[in-house]
Amino acid sequence: MRAIRFVSVFVSLFLPTFAGVPNISSRGYVAPGVPQNNTGNSQNAESFKYLAVTLPDPARLHEKSYWFNAIPLIQTTAVAEGWTLLPGSDCTNGGKYFGVRYLPKSAPSIAALYDSKGVIAGFQILYKVDALTKGSSEADCDTLNKFQNNYTFSDQRMINKETIGGTQYFVLTAYFVNPKQICSSNRSPSRVKTDGFGNQLSFQNGPTPSTLILAPATRKLAAAQSWTNNQCLPLNGYHNFFKSNEWDSKNCTENRPDWLFYNKDQRLSGFGFSLPGCDGSPRFQHPPGEIVQYVSGSKCAKTVSDTIKFSNMNVYFVPPISTLHDCPELESKIPENIDQILKELVG
Ligand SMILES: *[C@@H]1O[C@H](CO)[C@@H](O)[C@H](O)[C@H]1NC(C)=O
Ligand SMILES: *[C@@H]1O[C@H](CO)[C@@H](O)[C@H](O)[C@H]1NC(C)=O
Ligand SMILES: *[C@@H]1O[C@H](CO)[C@@H](O)[C@H](O)[C@H]1NC(C)=O
Ligand SMILES: *[C@@H]1O[C@H](CO)[C@@H](O)[C@H](O)[C@H]1NC(C)=O
């Protein structure tokens, strides 16, 4: 029953997206990093060699679905691609975040954090406070003044509030290396392609980088640390939300904003942030209630999705396409010709 419903959701949610897939090969698509043998420190993931988030494409028509694109791994590439320094940012940002902050050219709902040598070291998501708390009339949202958002934004340690260019934002921050090393880096931008840009994902959990939540390198460790083993979706992988089994008892007002992606080998392959409310930036996904309930097992998550909506962003350490086959138990549900479909569209 579940599986049948899943197929229809998969087809309706994901297949149309491929109609809007840009030519990734012309924008620096690289093969997934060769997995390294990592029997040593179990907190460290395999080296991250790729970073992708939802398209920044302001030309994406609202009826077109989402796709993902690479984030520049070194500062000089970012500058060449038109990213700009967030006014006033330096490596320590007054102690609030570590890494020089750059905003992309369009739809700046994200910031990339570069270390003192110009290698990517972290990533931020910037949510418009008004859009989340009051709703938005933007095309993907249509929630303005329609619902009451009961989420306890101010009680969430992971959320920092900041005014940028006169607009208030909720800021969520992830680091790919130990933040202590970011502003005295000895990394070489020329080695990023071979060495990667980090192997330790953490989330800032307070007003400074001194409080962190470390993302476990394996799904088994994640489950042992209260990230619930949730469902798998092709083109995502296995989801582990933090204590999603407790969401319903709080009516989804206290969900921690992070989640983790694990691949078919149960190894960390990405993460995401999710807050209740609708930010209309084209970078955010607002998944339908049915799929959110399927993935998380939470009833209130369906209600939120179908009223105030969630604003989600998936972040991948591998080319998103390579997560298509990360759910062995659903392999038979994937249309047989999907590789061909993807190949034709993605190149
Ligand atoms: C994608 O880009 C490559 C390199 O620029 C080009 O050779 C190829 O024809 C493009 N494919 C499509 C489908 O546009
Ligand atoms: C990893 O390396 C260890 C020690 O060299 C070896 O015993 C083990 O079989 C390797 N594991 C994998 C999955 O290759
Ligand atoms: C927020 O709480 C109020 C009062 O309990 C309730 O009526 C409303 O439906 C809730 N909003 C959402 C989106 O669940
Ligand atoms: C929980 O959410 C539901 C659906 O929006 C609402 O009807 C109910 O009043 C909420 N309960 C509380 C305690 O806020």
Side-chain angles (χ1 to χ4, degrees):
M1 209 45 199
R2 273 259 151 101
I4 289 165
R5 191 155 6 106
F6 165 75
V7 177
S8 70
V9 171
F10 172 75
V11 169
S12 68
L13 191 70
F14 292 109
L15 285 193
T17 51
F18 298 117
V21 170
N23 188 344
I24 292 182
S25 64
S26 66
R27 300 204 38 166
Y29 179 93
V30 294
V34 178
Q36 293 167 0
N37 188 333
N38 180 33
T39 50
N41 181 356
S42 57
Q43 291 293 13
N44 287 351
E46 286 141 22
S47 267
F48 307 137
K49 293 194 168 149
Y50 189 90
L51 188 65
V53 299
T54 328
L55 257 187
D57 185 0
R60 177 178 72 80
L61 300 172
H62 272 283
E63 62 270 21
K64 291 261 188 208
S65 297
Y66 316 98
W67 189 242
F68 294 85
N69 223 325
I71 296 294
L73 301 183
I74 56 179
Q75 193 174 330
T76 48
T77 313
V79 171
E81 290 182 6
W83 291 56
T84 51
L85 183 71
L86 192 151
S89 174
D90 60 11
C91 196
T92 55
N93 302 289
K96 287 181 70 174
Y97 312 109
F98 290 166
V100 187
R101 302 165 83 195
Y102 274 80
L103 301 177
K105 203 159 50 176
S106 53
S109 321
I110 59 172
L113 305 177
Y114 295 95
D115 73 13
S116 53
K117 289 281 166 58
V119 177
I120 197 150
F123 179 79
Q124 293 183 315
I125 295 184
L126 314 174
Y127 288 94
K128 290 194 238 26
V129 171
D130 273 0
L132 291 199
T133 56
K134 296 178 187 153
S136 160
S137 58
E138 288 181 87
D140 279 357
C141 292
D142 193 21
T143 53
L144 185 63
N145 299 325
K146 285 188 175 169
F147 308 99
Q148 183 186 329
N149 190 338
N150 301 319
Y151 187 70
T152 56
F153 291 97
S154 55
D155 291 346
Q156 301 302 318
R157 292 182 52 80
M158 238 182 235
I159 301 179
N160 282 297
K161 216 169 170 182
E162 183 178 357
T163 301
I164 300 172
T167 303
Q168 276 203 314
Y169 291 92
F170 290 131
V171 181
L172 294 173
T173 306
Y175 295 106
F176 310 131
V177 292
N178 183 341
K180 286 187 186 131
Q181 296 162 2
I182 291 177
C183 299
S184 54
S185 165
N186 57 12
R187 303 195 292 175
S188 162
S190 63
R191 294 201 55 85
V192 169
K193 267 198 180 139
T194 44
D195 293 355
F197 56 87
N199 63 0
Q200 200 181 81
L201 172 67
S202 61
F203 304 125
Q204 185 167 322
N205 197 37
T208 74
S210 65
T211 319
L212 298 171
I213 289 171
L214 194 58
T218 66
R219 195 169 190 233
K220 197 174 167 194
L221 282 171
Q225 294 172 33
S226 298
W227 271 277
T228 313
N229 280 333
N230 302 106
Q231 297 295 327
C232 196
L233 283 182
L235 287 175
N236 282 201
Y238 289 100
H239 290 71
N240 284 65
F241 293 100
F242 190 74
K243 294 189 174 174
S244 59
N245 49 319
E246 294 179 8
W247 290 358
D248 282 334
S249 67
K250 311 269 174 58
N251 229 6
C252 282
T253 57
E254 294 177 27
N255 302 5
R256 212 172 71 186
D258 60 302
W259 81 78
L260 304 171
F261 281 136
Y262 290 91
N263 67 14
K264 64 177 183 307
D265 300 324
Q266 314 284 302
R267 306 204 60 88
L268 187 68
S269 55
F271 66 100
F273 284 126
S274 173
L275 284 176
C278 197
D279 184 321
S281 158
R283 289 184 186 278
F284 291 109
Q285 296 190 331
H286 316 291
E290 191 174 18
I291 199 158
V292 176
Q293 184 173 7
Y294 170 76
V295 172
S296 68
S298 159
K299 280 192 189 127
C300 60
K302 180 177 192 308
T303 307
V304 167
S305 308
D306 293 340
T307 54
I308 57 176
K309 305 192 180 190
F310 282 106
S311 293
N312 293 359
M313 205 180 292
N314 301 6
V315 184
Y316 295 95
F317 294 131
V318 294
I321 285 271
S322 71
T323 66
L324 178 63
H325 299 291
D326 273 346
C327 310
E329 67 271 36
L330 294 171
E331 199 60 24
S332 65
K333 311 294 179 201
I334 297 176
E336 257 174 38
N337 60 341
I338 189 121
D339 285 333
Q340 189 54 38
I341 295 169
L342 293 177
K343 199 159 179 253
E344 281 166 14
L345 287 160
V346 182

